[in-house]
Amino acid sequence: MAIISNDEEKKPSRKNTNAVSKQTEYDRGFENNIRPKTFDEYIGQTHLKETLKITILAAKKREQPLDHLLFYGPPGLGKTTLASVIANEMKSNIKITSAPALERPRDIIGILMSLKDGDVLFIDEIHRLNKIAEEILYSAMEDFFIDMTTGKTQTSKSIRIPTAKFTLIGATTKAGALSGPLRDRFGIVHRLEFYTMEELEAVISRTAGILDVKITEDGAKTIALRSRGTPRIANRLVKRVRDYAIVKSDGVIDEKTAKSSLDLLKIDPLGLDTTDIALLRLIIEKYNGGPVGIETLSAALGEDIKTIEDVYEPFLIQAGLILRTPRGRKASAEAYRHLKYKLPSQQVGLFDE
Ligand code: ADE
């Protein structure tokens, strides 16, 4: 399986290097090395995997391309990885790109025209596709052709060009931001779930094995607990704890080394980093627990709204630390407890836990 990537997108820059920060080029290189290639190697998303195996077998039996697929969910849960596994299981080639890299019509046309029958086209952050690119995709997805206009206004002619019979896999952190017509053109739509502790431990042990680092069960557990349900974070932490273990002890990742290393990185026992904690403290200290609007939080933290919404909030909500209400974000009683604040007495009982 050939993997071709033209993902030139510019991710929003971040001012620190927290564990939760977005993926860098270096991370991508590292991830490619440890990326599972088959469903057997891919840990987690069990239900989705079973569904996909059936869909793939059926497509192979029908000798037709796989239906277009849309994956949504928080970043770092393995959407790109899963797309590569699918292409590999289909014995197809995959082209990986992202919506911000498809700015001009010729970008999307070029990539569509380069596809061969059975290829997989993976478009990350597909909710960011512009209107023109989206319209070009409609006919390609539905009937495998694109309409192109040639010549100047008076003499312009529309020509219909066939494309190969490909499978589009779209990924987004914001399923709600996708236009209806685009969403409707995906035959299969799936949400990726946060990983369980056991799944994360398995990912961590597997990665440690590939990196040739010894890790104890408790060492893997300690890292899993602080990985926010996210394999990308788990893998990043394995590397950092490995470095710490090499310098500070005998190179083996055990519970003690993992704890000291993660404490030094300021990743707390729930996996919260300094930005998560600053966000919660802001709501508790300045806004008396909320509700407070996302714009206000963004301005006060100096973190863009999209990063707060896409990167930080999903886990804080899932962990029950932040509540999203129509009037804004509130800190939960659990957030007060975790950060060792006293619950304001007049608010006890007001928290919908
Ligand atoms: N590395 C990152 N995600 C993974 C997964 N789901 N399974 C195995 N290794 C991984």
Side-chain angles (χ1 to χ4, degrees):
M1 176 187 63
I3 300 182
I4 300 162
S5 171
N6 84 327
D7 186 356
E8 297 155 3
E9 95 192 87
K10 293 162 202 74
K11 299 258 185 195
S13 64
R14 288 179 42 85
K15 56 182 165 36
N16 59 32
T17 52
N18 287 348
V20 194
S21 61
K22 287 211 154 194
Q23 212 180 4
T24 63
E25 276 306 317
Y26 180 71
D27 290 333
R28 278 182 237 193
F30 165 65
E31 278 188 18
N32 281 340
N33 286 338
I34 56 165
R35 189 166 270 170
K37 309 274 182 303
T38 62
F39 279 130
D40 287 342
E41 287 174 2
Y42 188 96
I43 297 156
Q45 313 296 341
T46 323
H47 177 250
L48 171 56
K49 236 167 52 174
E50 288 316 307
T51 315
L52 287 172
K53 279 183 189 169
I54 294 170
T55 314
I56 288 175
L57 275 177
K60 278 185 182 164
K61 279 197 169 169
R62 286 186 286 116
E63 294 182 14
Q64 277 178 351
L66 198 61
D67 262 356
H68 304 303
L69 288 151
L70 178 68
F71 294 144
Y72 68 97
L77 298 188
K79 300 181 209 75
T80 315
T81 306
L82 199 52
S84 307
V85 168
I86 291 170
N88 188 44
E89 297 276 358
M90 289 289 293
K91 309 228 175 329
S92 310
N93 294 321
I94 182 167
K95 291 209 168 163
I96 298 177
T97 186
S98 71
L102 303 173
E103 217 172 290
R104 302 155 301 181
R106 70 163 189 250
D107 298 325
I108 182 87
I109 291 171
I111 205 157
L112 285 169
M113 295 313 298
S114 73
L115 298 173
K116 309 260 183 320
D117 278 347
D119 279 0
V120 171
L121 172 62
F122 178 78
I123 305 184
D124 201 7
E125 296 203 66
I126 194 155
H127 63 278
R128 293 174 68 184
L129 219 50
N130 63 47
K131 225 32 273 102
I132 296 172
E134 205 177 299
E135 275 166 16
I136 292 169
L137 257 189
Y138 290 163
S139 58
M141 287 173 79
E142 217 158 57
D143 298 312
F144 303 114
F145 70 80
I146 49 184
D147 271 328
M148 277 209 278
T149 318
T150 57
K152 301 242 161 61
T153 351
Q154 286 106 1
T155 57
S156 77
K157 264 203 301 202
S158 181
I159 46 169
R160 187 159 279 200
I161 303 173
T163 68
K165 294 195 167 45
F166 68 102
T167 296
L168 176 67
I169 304 184
T172 177
T173 49
K174 286 177 170 294
L178 223 66
S179 77
L182 182 56
R183 200 173 42 237
D184 291 346
R185 283 172 171 80
F186 288 97
I188 304 166
V189 178
H190 270 292
R191 180 189 151 83
L192 272 78
E193 305 291 343
F194 281 115
Y195 284 55
T196 65
M197 280 307 130
E198 294 72 31
E199 288 165 352
L200 285 175
E201 281 170 49
V203 169
I204 289 162
S205 300
R206 176 180 179 273
T207 301
I210 294 170
L211 296 176
D212 208 11
V213 188
K214 284 207 176 60
I215 187 163
T216 66
E217 218 172 275
D218 286 341
K221 215 168 244 155
T222 306
I223 301 177
L225 277 167
R226 301 193 192 195
S227 298
R228 313 166 65 97
T230 308
R232 181 187 296 159
I233 295 178
N235 284 334
R236 196 176 294 163
L237 295 184
V238 172
K239 253 189 345 169
R240 292 176 148 201
V241 176
R242 182 247 345 239
D243 292 349
Y244 184 93
I246 290 171
V247 174
K248 294 281 190 182
S249 72
D250 54 0
V252 177
I253 302 180
D254 58 14
E255 184 180 357
K256 186 164 167 281
T257 322
K259 276 194 172 145
S260 322
S261 163
L262 296 170
D263 287 346
L264 188 65
L265 290 167
K266 292 198 185 322
I267 295 162
D268 86 354
L270 277 187
L272 307 191
D273 70 13
T274 46
T275 309
D276 296 301
I277 292 173
L279 181 69
L280 292 173
R281 283 196 196 287
L282 183 67
I283 303 177
I284 292 173
E285 287 180 12
K286 269 207 134 168
Y287 300 96
N288 205 20
V292 50
I294 188 82
E295 296 82 7
T296 311
L297 291 174
S298 157
L301 278 176
E303 210 44 92
D304 64 55
I305 292 178
K306 188 175 142 36
T307 307
I308 296 179
E309 281 184 339
D310 295 355
V311 180
Y312 289 99
E313 261 192 357
F315 178 73
L316 292 171
I317 292 170
Q318 135 106 12
L321 296 167
I322 279 189
L323 308 163
R324 234 170 147 158
T325 75
R327 290 191 299 132
R329 275 66 173 172
K330 281 170 68 178
S332 71
E334 186 51 38
Y336 276 78
R337 263 195 297 277
H338 182 65
L339 296 180
K340 301 192 170 49
Y341 283 97
K342 208 166 146 288
L343 264 178
S345 51
Q346 74 275 21
Q347 292 199 18
V348 175
L350 279 183
F351 291 95
D352 29 328
E353 285 187 279

